[in-house]
Amino acid sequence: MSKKFFVAWVVLFVSWFLGSFVVHGVLLRSDYMQLTNLFRTEGDQQKYFPLMILAHMILSGALVWIYTRGAEAKPWMIQGIRFGIAVALLTVVPSYMIYFVVQPMPGDVVIKQILCDGVLMVMLGLIVAWMYRDAATPLLAG
């Protein structure tokens, strides 16, 4: 594992953590506030916050690792978008669908979660692809 890998890991961790805050702490907050019976109280959540940090650390490292194993000598932007969509289809979409089956979450909230986290995943794919862009061909203009 190179210095570049660890730098990408940290950048992705910060990006993912901030992106998740924007999605779940800002964009979906009003939806979640109407469903307080489905979630821990904010005080209770704070007790488990270190696990949230650990989860994002694991996710970020794994995402960089997987990307570095599959990067091709193709334009980085296309690879980043493709990678983000693939990861979203592997994680975001089925996870929220499964949660919907076992937790009484309103369907419109699930759709918002899938769309927002799906967009975030594509953005994360673009970030990691950009960080490893020297392994790919330059993005062609026009």
Side-chain angles (χ1 to χ4, degrees), residues 24 27-39 42 104-106 108-109 112:
H24 300 285
L27 298 176
L28 298 176
R29 182 175 177 78
S30 63
D31 292 300
Y32 294 157
M33 294 306 289
Q34 297 174 28
L35 304 166
T36 55
N37 59 322
L38 297 180
F39 299 104
E42 284 196 38
M105 184 72 71
D108 64 322
V109 175
K112 290 177 189 178

Side-chain angles (χ1 to χ4, degrees), residues 21-84:
F21 172 76
V22 169
V23 168
H24 300 285
V26 177
L27 298 176
L28 298 176
R29 182 175 177 78
S30 63
D31 292 300
Y32 294 157
M33 294 306 289
Q34 297 174 28
L35 304 166
T36 55
N37 59 322
L38 297 180
F39 299 104
R40 295 181 186 275
T41 64
E42 284 196 38
D44 201 23
Q45 289 176 29
Q46 292 303 314
K47 289 191 290 189
Y48 299 102
F49 194 70
L51 288 174
M52 181 75 72
I53 294 170
L54 178 61
H56 278 84
M57 287 174 62
I58 293 167
L59 287 164
S60 301
L63 197 78
V64 173
W65 179 56
I66 293 167
Y67 183 83
T68 62
R69 295 290 168 207
E72 299 175 7
K74 294 182 178 176
W76 67 267
M77 188 176 284
I78 300 301
Q79 285 196 99
I81 292 169
R82 181 189 68 203
F83 182 66

